[in-house]
Amino acid sequence: MAKILVAIKRVVDYNVRIRLKPDGSGVATEGVKLSINPFDEIALEEALRMRDRGAAEEVIVASIGPAETQQQLRTALAMGADRAVLVQADAGAVVEPLTAARTLLALVEREKPQIVILGKQAIDDDNNQTGQMLAALWDRPQATFASTIELKDDKATVRREVDTGLETLEVDLPAVFTTDLRLNEPRYVKLPDIMKAKKKPLETVTFTDLGVTPKQQVEVSHYEPPPVRQKGVMVKDVAELVGALKKRGLV
Amino acid sequence: MAANKILIVAEHAGGALNPSTAKCVTCARAIEDGEITVAVFATDGSSVAAQAAALQGVTQVLQIDNAANGHPLAAVLAPQIAALADGFTHVFGPSTTFGKDLMPRVAALIDTPQLSDIMAVESAHCFRRPIYAGNAIITVKVPADLKIVATVRTASFEAVADGGAASVEKRDVQVDLPTHTRFVEISAASSDRPDLQTARTVVSGGRALGSADGFRILYSLAEKLGAAVGASRAAVDAGYVPNDMQVGQTGKIISPELYIAVGISGAIQHLTGIKDARTIVAINKDAEAPIFEVADIGLVGDLFALVPELEKQLA
Ligand SMILES: Cc1cc2nc3c(=O)[nH]c(=O)nc-3n(C[C@H](O)[C@H](O)[C@H](O)COP(=O)(O)OP(=O)(O)OC[C@H]3O[C@@H](n4cnc5c(N)ncnc54)[C@H](O)[C@@H]3O)c2cc1C
Ligand SMILES: Nc1ncnc2c1ncn2[C@@H]1O[C@H](COP(=O)(O)O)[C@@H](O)[C@H]1O
């Protein structure tokens, strides 16, 4: 029975303008809206479509995070995932990409999926690492920044968004994919689905259950705001704009 | 002997070294007591290796020729880099799609964390990098006993100049290479315009351009200015322009001297891509558009009238 594993991370919603704690010790997340990382919604949508086309029987969503991550997993179940696994981390604990990848590898070994889909990057830490690390540890192909994934037998043809255009790769399954924004447009969750999702299985496990020792190796010593750009001038017409550009020696 | 031995993975295509490599060298030179080696993986890397050897500050170039290295596949390159990394304290690649795809795979094989998008060097083990789409900058420290694998944020460093004369050495790296990943093709949206990531001037269009046809007035203006053309995600999603023109958090991060944003609202994800631009000009019909908060020069009005007018007055 072919399975698809999707990794989702709980992050500050992309619409929130983050604030730093005044003492520079972190980002204020109190009372801030948290959501599924947008790239992971795309990952889940792709998995659901694959399943619904008959390429797999089951879509499993997994997340590593605090107990409250259950909310995002329930949303994923409401979107259509079949079951969810929460690897519970301490509140406030930092899960580095290498630890996330090791944990996902343990789940991969347990569930034996044909396909694993992650977001290309989590929009909080902007790391863009976990999928590639998982593929390395698993010793399987990776096709990152995917904008189309076509499955055929035990292979996938993937178009990737790269700096110079679109690259096409062929990979043998099982494989790891990471999503780019244009892979699909995730569905909206409907109210009846939220009710149905309450009955779907959501399992909670610990790192120890999976035989993983979480490591924090990168020490973050300080958070600061980026330098602010000075507010500029408004010009009233094109002539004035051209004048300003010439004065700065830009044209 | 130098305390810090830095290996930089060269990015190249069609026999030409990508300028991102020279930017990585600048970053590496900021590390005290360092010695810089550039590794070139190719089928025949002679020409690229010669270009890398000419970069100031590079001591040595390793040329790893292998038929399997014809296209940069992370699954194929990573085990070779991991094998080569013995004896190095740092392994750097650019924060381009090439480096972002590759370096985490290298780090996992070496069993060490990876730092993404380093924008400043504090010391050999301490760096600064942006998070939350550049809305916060963090200082990160890696214990001295760990190898540091990192991607270098190319918009934060100038390319190092030529003038060096490093030695080039051919290396044979003996590791098993996987065949589970195969290159099929690359479709480059070819254009004669300057490259978005290195252009001095960039003209970008947003959703307001309305169609692929609508972008013509920007291409025309860009030609007059010798500029590259970029776009917002909305314009790419709508199919007006190809994906490689997207500027922003999930597109290209650029640092031109002059950036002209036309019909772009200025969402934070877009602004992430242009924070390092020297001068930002915004043309938008909505005086309240957030782009005006970061623009050095703003002009309110209808772009379909203003852009052709601008082109005319630049004559
Ligand atoms: C995870 C994530 C990642 C993202 N990454 C990126 C990214 O990398 N890059 C990016 O750009 N976006 C990105 N976005 C999308 C971003 O949030 C915005 O939706 C997008 O930038 C909006 O594009 P726009 O400014 O072209 O369109 P709009 O926001 O629709 O703005 C159009 C502007 O045009 C103006 N206008 C309309 N008609 C005219 C006219 N005739 N003359 C002059 N002005 C006119 C309007 O006043 C408006 O300000 C991302 C979003 C998410 C969730
Ligand atoms: N704590 C986590 N739990 C589940 N998935 C994660 C976690 N961290 C990262 N991921 C996955 O890895 C992707 C890339 O994250 P990152 O490497 O942190 O940018 C995300 O889009 C998720 O799919």
Side-chain angles (χ1 to χ4, degrees):
Chain A
M1 188 169 114
K3 297 180 193 174
I4 305 176
L5 180 69
V6 176
I8 65 172
K9 187 177 186 191
R10 168 185 163 97
V11 298
V12 172
D13 189 86
Y14 79 94
N15 281 311
V16 173
R17 210 174 253 270
I18 57 128
R19 279 175 310 107
L20 296 179
K21 292 182 188 161
D23 63 356
S25 67
V27 172
T29 49
E30 207 120 299
V32 163
K33 185 177 176 204
L34 292 145
S35 305
I36 299 177
N37 182 41
F39 289 98
D40 305 352
E41 268 186 356
I42 296 171
L44 176 55
E45 177 65 37
E46 194 66 14
L48 298 174
R49 291 184 192 184
M50 287 174 176
R51 180 197 62 192
D52 296 345
R53 283 197 306 264
E57 281 81 34
E58 194 183 30
V59 173
I60 307 157
V61 284
S63 189
I64 308 149
E68 296 77 20
T69 309
Q70 288 194 11
Q71 292 162 10
Q72 282 68 39
L73 288 171
R74 284 284 169 213
T75 305
L77 291 169
M79 272 179 76
D82 298 292
R83 66 189 162 92
V85 184
L86 171 63
V87 183
Q88 197 170 323
D90 295 338
V94 176
V95 180
E96 289 181 4
L98 200 49
T99 293
R102 284 206 188 93
T103 309
L104 293 170
L105 178 69
L107 287 174
V108 160
E109 282 164 352
R110 193 182 85 166
E111 303 287 348
K112 307 206 164 24
Q114 273 291 88
I115 293 167
V116 182
I117 317 180
L118 297 85
K120 84 164 174 184
Q121 82 197 60
I123 60 160
D124 49 3
D125 291 335
D126 283 334
N127 274 319
N128 195 331
Q129 300 177 13
T130 310
Q132 296 89 314
M133 288 181 159
L134 170 62
L137 300 174
W138 192 16
D139 199 12
R140 293 303 309 165
Q142 71 187 44
T144 54
F145 326 148
S147 67
T148 63
I149 306 175
E150 275 170 49
L151 302 172
K152 194 157 183 281
D153 305 323
D154 54 357
K155 291 183 182 52
T157 303
V158 182
R159 265 208 313 199
R160 308 180 51 235
E161 297 206 1
V162 296
D163 288 339
T164 46
L166 288 169
E167 182 189 65
T168 308
L169 296 184
E170 185 188 67
V171 299
D172 296 337
L173 299 180
V176 176
F177 304 96
T178 77
T179 61
D180 219 314
L181 290 169
R182 278 168 285 275
L183 183 57
N184 61 51
E185 226 174 282
R187 66 195 66 187
Y188 286 100
V189 176
K190 295 188 218 72
L191 199 59
D193 298 328
I194 297 175
M195 302 310 291
K196 261 192 272 172
K198 292 196 172 135
K199 296 203 198 71
K200 291 185 179 177
L202 193 167
E203 177 194 7
T204 300
V205 298
T206 63
F207 287 110
T208 317
D209 293 338
L210 296 173
V212 175
T213 311
K215 278 195 220 167
Q216 194 182 342
Q217 294 175 303
V218 180
E219 183 201 331
V220 182
S221 59
H222 192 67
Y223 290 73
E224 59 194 302
V228 278
R229 291 188 79 98
Q230 295 296 321
K231 198 170 157 47
V233 295
M234 297 302 282
V235 292
K236 65 173 194 313
D237 57 21
V238 170
E240 217 178 285
L241 171 59
V242 172
L245 289 173
K246 285 198 170 136
K247 213 168 105 199
R248 291 169 186 242
L250 290 166
V251 294
Chain B
M1 226 185 70
N4 297 300
K5 301 195 69 186
I6 305 148
L7 180 67
I8 295 173
V9 183
E11 175 171 7
H12 60 91
L17 188 66
N18 188 299
S20 65
T21 306
K23 294 179 175 186
C24 289
V25 173
T26 303
C27 174
R29 286 180 99 185
I31 293 174
E32 244 173 65
D33 195 11
E35 188 180 284
I36 301 171
T37 301
V38 176
V40 176
F41 295 86
T43 314
D44 172 3
S46 318
S47 141
V48 176
Q51 294 162 53
L55 296 177
Q56 266 179 34
V58 176
T59 306
Q60 185 191 30
V61 176
L62 300 176
Q63 181 184 339
I64 302 94
D65 288 350
N66 187 327
N69 294 342
H71 293 282
L73 297 172
V76 171
L77 296 185
Q80 299 177 67
I81 297 165
L84 208 60
D86 256 352
F88 288 93
T89 53
H90 297 67
V91 187
F92 284 179
S95 68
T96 55
T97 52
F98 163 77
K100 286 180 175 172
D101 182 45
L102 175 60
M103 301 313 285
R105 191 156 182 135
V106 172
L109 293 181
I110 297 176
D111 192 22
T112 197
Q114 194 230 256
L115 302 177
S116 296
D117 303 310
I118 57 181
M119 59 188 290
V121 176
E122 300 290 312
S123 76
H125 300 276
C126 186
F127 303 87
R128 278 148 40 93
R129 63 170 297 256
I131 58 170
Y132 283 97
N135 288 302
I137 311 293
I138 55 174
T139 304
V140 290
K141 212 179 248 164
V142 181
D145 59 333
L146 286 180
K147 227 187 267 303
I148 293 179
V149 177
T151 59
V152 173
R153 186 174 181 275
T154 50
S156 298
F157 299 92
E158 300 274 340
V160 81
D162 276 356
S167 63
V168 178
E169 184 191 323
K170 283 202 181 184
R171 267 293 169 87
D172 221 8
V173 179
Q174 296 292 348
V175 284
D176 284 341
L177 299 181
T179 54
H180 53 46
T181 307
R182 296 168 292 274
F183 173 82
V184 180
E185 61 171 6
I186 184 143
S187 65
S190 71
S191 90
D192 306 331
R193 282 185 296 276
D195 175 50
L196 188 53
Q197 269 158 317
T198 48
R200 212 178 145 261
T201 305
V202 173
V203 179
S204 268
R207 193 197 308 274
L209 274 297
S211 64
D213 220 37
F215 260 79
R216 281 210 213 153
I217 55 170
L218 289 194
Y219 297 139
S220 181
L221 173 64
E223 199 168 325
K224 173 133 292 164
L225 290 166
V229 180
S232 72
R233 174 186 170 193
V236 176
D237 282 1
Y240 307 162
V241 295
N243 67 284
D244 52 13
M245 283 169 62
Q246 182 175 318
V247 172
Q249 180 187 18
T250 50
K252 288 178 179 150
I253 312 271
I254 56 176
S255 49
E257 290 290 313
L258 172 61
Y259 185 78
I260 307 182
V262 178
I264 292 177
S265 60
I268 48 173
Q269 295 89 0
H270 187 81
L271 300 183
T272 307
I274 58 171
K275 283 210 164 86
D276 297 288
R278 185 71 58 86
T279 298
I280 298 175
V281 172
I283 298 179
N284 197 303
K285 72 172 182 193
D286 174 10
E288 303 294 313
I291 189 80
F292 288 125
E293 282 163 36
V294 299
D296 300 285
I297 310 173
L299 176 56
V300 178
D302 180 11
L303 72 93
F304 293 103
L306 295 176
V307 171
E309 177 64 24
L310 176 58
E311 188 187 331
K312 214 166 82 197
Q313 293 206 20
L314 285 170

